[in-house]
Amino acid sequence: MVLQQYPPPAEGAEGPDTEEQNDDHRLGIYGWRKRCLYLLVLLLLSTLLVNIALTIWILRVTCLNTEGMGQLRITSDRVRLDGVSEFLFSLYAQEIHSKQDTSLLIHSESQNVTLQACNGKGGVLGSLNLGPQSMESVGQHFEVMTSTGKLLFSAGTEQVVVGADKLTITGSDGAQCEHSIETSLVRAEHSMDLRLEAPTRSLHLDAPKGVHIKAVSGSGQAVSSMDISLLSMDGVLILDAERVQLPKLPLSGEGEKGSPGEQLYEVCVCPDGRLYLSKAGHTSTCHDNSHNC
């Protein structure tokens, strides 16, 4: 601010005109100060225009709007992502599902996908790990169900349940079980043999209402290195076949077994259940030859 002052006029001297003195006493910024002020205002205006342009460019690139940003839509009850989304770290969500009539794809470039369920303290209650060579599931109970809610497979600490109408084992060595199996039917595929085998132990078939062994288009064999026991607690033992052969039954009495056309024999039963042959006569000869019992 420049202020010009003039000395007071001497007495008796004629001073300048009053209006001219008021014009000489001007108030303002002049010179280099004024040019610096204009430059500062121009710089601030340029910065403002650049900020506005950058803001508009960021809004256009990120597609930011009132509902979200880009392919991300945020509503009061959900977060919606359209297209392919990439997460660099963990994703925490209560529910993840795809759009209607589209599939949900979870892909990982680090060779595995891990899904975990945690409690409020961060402890893992259950997890599912999909690796390049295996799938691991950790939890107290595991279930596989159909879209209608029917149980197909269930596994827990106490039992494993297969709820499908039919369980097929296609391995060449069959199925190996360390303990018992509870089922209502064991059947081989068409044109295939059914074998129930215990290589080093015994094989037991138990049922509260009976055990039925049936070969529709083949033969049935029971082979054991020791004894074969057929026990009925309350009922009878039925061998329903056109021909029943017991080729190695011992013969009680004198002589040797001949061909079927040469000699007739009678099948006898000892009190302990053993079977033996006795030459047939006009009457039963089992009592006469019961000394082998």
Side-chain angles (χ1 to χ4, degrees), residues 75-126:
T75 60
S76 59
D77 58 346
R78 70 183 62 185
V79 176
R80 175 179 174 181
L81 287 172
D82 296 328
V84 179
S85 303
E86 182 177 356
F87 298 92
L88 301 179
F89 299 99
S90 301
L91 174 64
Y92 298 90
Q94 183 178 2
E95 181 181 355
I96 300 176
H97 63 86
S98 62
K99 295 189 298 183
Q100 187 176 4
D101 299 331
T102 58
S103 59
L104 176 63
L105 174 64
I106 300 178
H107 174 72
S108 174
E109 296 181 355
S110 61
Q111 298 183 355
N112 68 329
V113 175
T114 302
L115 303 177
Q116 292 183 346
C118 304
N119 55 15
K121 298 181 180 180
V124 179
L125 301 178

Side-chain angles (χ1 to χ4, degrees), residues 10-293:
E11 295 181 357
E14 296 181 357
D17 190 7
T18 304
E19 294 180 0
E20 294 179 356
Q21 289 181 2
N22 292 335
D23 292 338
D24 292 338
H25 294 276
R26 291 177 298 177
L27 185 64
I29 300 175
Y30 303 96
W32 63 272
R33 294 182 179 86
K34 184 176 182 180
R35 290 191 293 271
C36 291
L37 180 61
Y38 286 160
L39 181 61
L40 179 61
V41 172
L42 182 61
L43 181 61
L44 293 176
L45 182 61
S46 301
T47 304
L48 179 61
L49 294 177
V50 171
N51 288 335
I52 294 175
L54 289 176
T55 303
I56 295 175
W57 178 77
I58 292 174
L59 293 177
R60 292 292 300 275
V61 170
T62 58
C63 299
L64 186 64
N65 50 45
T66 57
E67 296 182 353
M69 180 178 62
Q71 298 179 347
L72 178 66
R73 299 291 183 268
I74 301 176
T75 60
S76 59
D77 58 346
R78 70 183 62 185
V79 176
R80 175 179 174 181
L81 287 172
D82 296 328
V84 179
S85 303
E86 182 177 356
F87 298 92
L88 301 179
F89 299 99
S90 301
L91 174 64
Y92 298 90
Q94 183 178 2
E95 181 181 355
I96 300 176
H97 63 86
S98 62
K99 295 189 298 183
Q100 187 176 4
D101 299 331
T102 58
S103 59
L104 176 63
L105 174 64
I106 300 178
H107 174 72
S108 174
E109 296 181 355
S110 61
Q111 298 183 355
N112 68 329
V113 175
T114 302
L115 303 177
Q116 292 183 346
C118 304
N119 55 15
K121 298 181 180 180
V124 179
L125 301 178
S127 65
L128 178 64
N129 189 354
L130 303 178
Q133 297 179 354
S134 63
M135 182 186 72
E136 296 180 359
S137 177
V138 179
Q140 297 294 330
H141 198 73
F142 179 76
E143 290 185 353
V144 178
M145 307 183 70
T146 63
S147 57
T148 58
K150 181 181 179 181
L151 180 65
L152 294 180
F153 181 81
S154 174
T157 57
E158 297 182 354
Q159 64 178 357
V160 176
V161 178
V162 178
D165 297 334
K166 182 178 180 181
L167 174 63
T168 304
I169 300 175
T170 59
S172 59
D173 295 335
Q176 181 178 357
C177 303
E178 296 182 357
H179 301 285
S180 61
I181 298 177
E182 182 178 352
T183 181
S184 59
L185 176 64
V186 178
R187 182 177 60 187
E189 291 291 338
H190 297 289
S191 303
M192 300 294 291
D193 295 334
L194 175 63
R195 297 182 58 185
L196 301 178
E197 181 180 357
T200 59
R201 293 294 185 271
S202 59
L203 179 63
H204 296 272
L205 300 178
D206 299 329
K209 293 185 178 181
V211 177
H212 298 271
I213 300 175
K214 184 177 181 180
V216 179
S217 59
S219 61
Q221 295 181 354
V223 180
S224 175
S225 60
M226 296 181 67
D227 297 333
I228 298 178
S229 299
L230 301 176
L231 177 62
S232 177
M233 302 297 297
D234 185 13
V236 296
L237 178 63
I238 299 176
L239 298 177
D240 187 5
E242 295 181 358
R243 186 175 182 181
V244 178
Q245 292 184 348
L246 302 173
K248 295 184 179 181
L249 289 181
L251 176 61
S252 178
E254 298 179 355
E256 296 181 355
K257 289 190 295 184
S259 61
E262 297 177 355
Q263 183 67 43
L264 296 178
Y265 297 94
E266 184 179 359
V267 178
C268 304
V269 182
C270 294
D272 59 358
R274 289 185 298 171
L275 300 179
Y276 64 94
L277 295 180
S278 178
K279 290 183 180 181
H282 295 285
T283 60
S284 177
T285 58
C286 291
H287 181 72
D288 298 335
N289 299 317
S290 61
H291 55 274
N292 288 335
C293 294

